[in-house]
Amino acid sequence: MTQRKRITFFLDALHGGGAEKAVVNLLKGLAQRNEFDLDLVLATKEGPYLDLVPPEVRIVDLNMGRAVKATLPLMSYLKKNRPWALIGNMGHVNVVALMAIKLSRIKTKLVLVEQNTVSGNQSKLKRAKLVELLMKWLYPHADAVAGVSAGVARDLEERLGLKNETVKVLNNPVVNEDLITHSQASLDHPWFAVNTPPVFLAVGRLNPQKDFLNLLNAFAQVRKQQEARLIILGEGEERPALEATIHNLGIGKDVLLPGFVKNPYVYMKHANCFVLSSRQEGLPTVLIEAMACGCPVVSTDCPSGPEEILDRGTYGLLVPIQNSAALGEAMLATLKNPPEQKLLMQRANEYSTEKVVKAYLSLLHEL
């Protein structure tokens, strides 16, 4: 009997972000095919997505806290298990994966996937600048480098000095049966009762990148013209600033910040409009998820992803980043004239787990 090939994914942990969700969905899709042994190697075994990992996947805990400390333990894992392929999914994680591969001196296909544009990283920390320098040095040694959108791919080539069209595009897997099933769960929330004001929804970490301060200012403009409510699902360091802004704008009765919610899809199913207010993205998963649930969407035209997902505004209005007036107008316009649910759902299916898994396997077999 031929021994099954092993595919390994490497991450910091399974915190509630887009990269982590993408890896979980990839593992689900690969597990359903029942063709490979699957490992998920974590620098530390923690995070709300742990219980979403399919039982067929072996979770390996390096118990190192953060990926930056995990180079030698990952090298030991590679020497012992010799996977057919190793896949990383974020800059600093990818750097560690590449160093571990080099040190282990084993033949493993290495695919490095970037979730965000490198040029959009505004961090002034020396660590962030060091990671980019290491990316420039190490990424050419990977078997394949990919961005989750064409925008991310082209940005990587320009920022890291890679040859044009050498960075592949591997979209994140977003739409699957689990998403649709969860969206159809019951939602016992008074804001979604019959004959209540329309509800806007946003989902993401409460950090500067998501620019929820911009969304709050846009929503305040909407409230001056009609009754409406806003729910922002997620947790993060900007909570105090957001709560202060809500108070200062006098919209406290119409805004909720419930924190991280394991099933945001049922909210997407019932919301009147989903809003992405980000300054920067790679391929905003939540935008696709909302469309898959049939929810009309409005997005900033940030780099990168929204323009590709919405086909330059065909499937939802695009507005400039950090422009609360334009965002508020687009929110109102979408309430008055929402697109057909069927069209949104069809577009979202371009990012199905089945299609993306096929793309990953096709690339691996080419290497």
Side-chain angles (χ1 to χ4, degrees), residues 75-361:
M75 179 195 71
S76 298
Y77 161 85
L78 292 169
K79 282 186 173 182
K80 181 179 179 181
N81 294 276
R82 297 181 175 270
W84 178 59
L86 175 65
I87 301 172
N89 259 277
M90 277 184 287
H92 67 291
V93 172
N94 293 343
V95 166
V96 171
L98 238 166
M99 290 193 294
I101 284 278
K102 290 292 183 185
L103 290 170
S104 66
R105 297 183 178 181
I106 66 167
K107 291 184 178 180
T108 293
K109 298 173 189 284
L110 178 62
V111 177
L112 305 180
V113 182
E114 276 299 324
Q115 296 286 330
N116 285 300
T117 54
V118 179
S119 62
N121 188 350
Q122 301 297 317
S123 175
K124 295 180 181 179
L125 295 175
K126 290 182 179 179
R127 183 178 65 205
K129 294 180 179 179
L130 176 61
V131 168
E132 186 173 340
L133 285 173
L134 289 171
M135 289 168 69
K136 286 183 178 179
W137 178 46
L138 292 170
Y139 272 40
H141 299 282
D143 293 291
V145 177
V148 296
S149 66
V152 171
R154 303 293 80 82
D155 181 77
L156 273 172
E157 290 166 353
E158 183 177 344
R159 192 77 179 193
L160 302 186
L162 302 172
K163 292 181 181 179
N164 290 344
E165 304 298 324
T166 57
V167 176
K168 312 292 184 182
V169 177
L170 288 174
N171 295 139
N172 281 338
V174 179
V175 183
N176 54 35
E177 289 182 11
D178 286 348
L179 186 157
I180 303 304
T181 300
H182 283 105
S183 74
Q184 294 168 347
S186 60
L187 180 59
D188 184 17
H189 193 292
W191 282 15
F192 295 99
V194 179
N195 297 323
T196 53
V199 177
F200 292 98
L201 177 70
V203 181
R205 287 178 178 163
L206 308 185
N207 61 22
Q209 177 192 339
K210 303 302 181 185
D211 204 5
F212 291 131
L213 288 171
N214 179 36
L215 174 57
L216 291 174
N217 283 296
F219 178 73
Q221 296 301 313
V222 170
R223 279 294 291 110
K224 290 178 181 178
Q225 299 191 46
Q226 72 164 79
E227 280 192 293
R229 287 164 171 168
L230 170 65
I231 299 176
I232 303 176
L233 303 179
E235 198 51 80
E237 67 271 19
E238 280 214 319
R239 174 178 281 277
L242 294 175
E243 290 175 339
T245 300
I246 291 167
H247 174 75
N248 292 337
L249 290 171
I251 53 176
K253 292 182 179 180
D254 295 315
V255 181
L256 284 182
L257 303 177
F260 178 82
V261 174
K262 278 195 174 182
N263 182 11
Y265 314 122
V266 66
Y267 287 84
M268 293 173 179
K269 181 76 172 177
H270 290 85
N272 298 89
C273 178
F274 181 89
V275 186
L276 186 89
S277 54
S278 300
R279 299 175 187 176
Q280 175 212 351
E281 289 285 350
L283 184 80
T285 299
V286 290
L287 197 61
I288 301 166
E289 290 171 337
M291 293 166 69
C293 296
C295 184
V297 297
V298 170
S299 177
T300 52
D301 191 11
C302 66
S304 60
E307 182 187 39
E308 295 172 44
I309 295 166
L310 300 180
D311 192 19
R312 299 183 180 182
T314 302
Y315 297 95
L317 296 177
L318 290 163
V319 301
I321 61 171
Q322 296 180 278
N323 187 329
S324 58
L327 185 58
E329 289 174 8
M331 291 162 68
L332 283 167
T334 302
L335 284 186
K336 293 174 183 175
N337 187 28
E340 288 185 37
Q341 282 191 337
K342 184 179 178 181
L343 292 177
L344 296 174
M345 296 165 82
Q346 286 175 344
R347 178 61 175 174
N349 273 325
E350 292 298 313
Y351 300 89
S352 70
T353 296
E354 183 181 0
K355 288 184 178 181
V356 174
V357 166
K358 285 180 180 177
Y360 265 80
L361 293 179

Side-chain angles (χ1 to χ4, degrees), residues 2-32:
T2 305
Q3 187 175 6
R4 300 211 312 178
K5 294 176 179 177
R6 183 178 302 278
I7 298 178
T8 299
F9 289 83
F10 175 52
L11 283 173
D12 261 323
L14 280 182
H15 299 303
E20 294 88 341
K21 187 179 290 185
V23 169
V24 169
N25 283 344
L26 277 169
L27 288 168
K28 287 179 179 179
L30 288 165
Q32 286 175 354

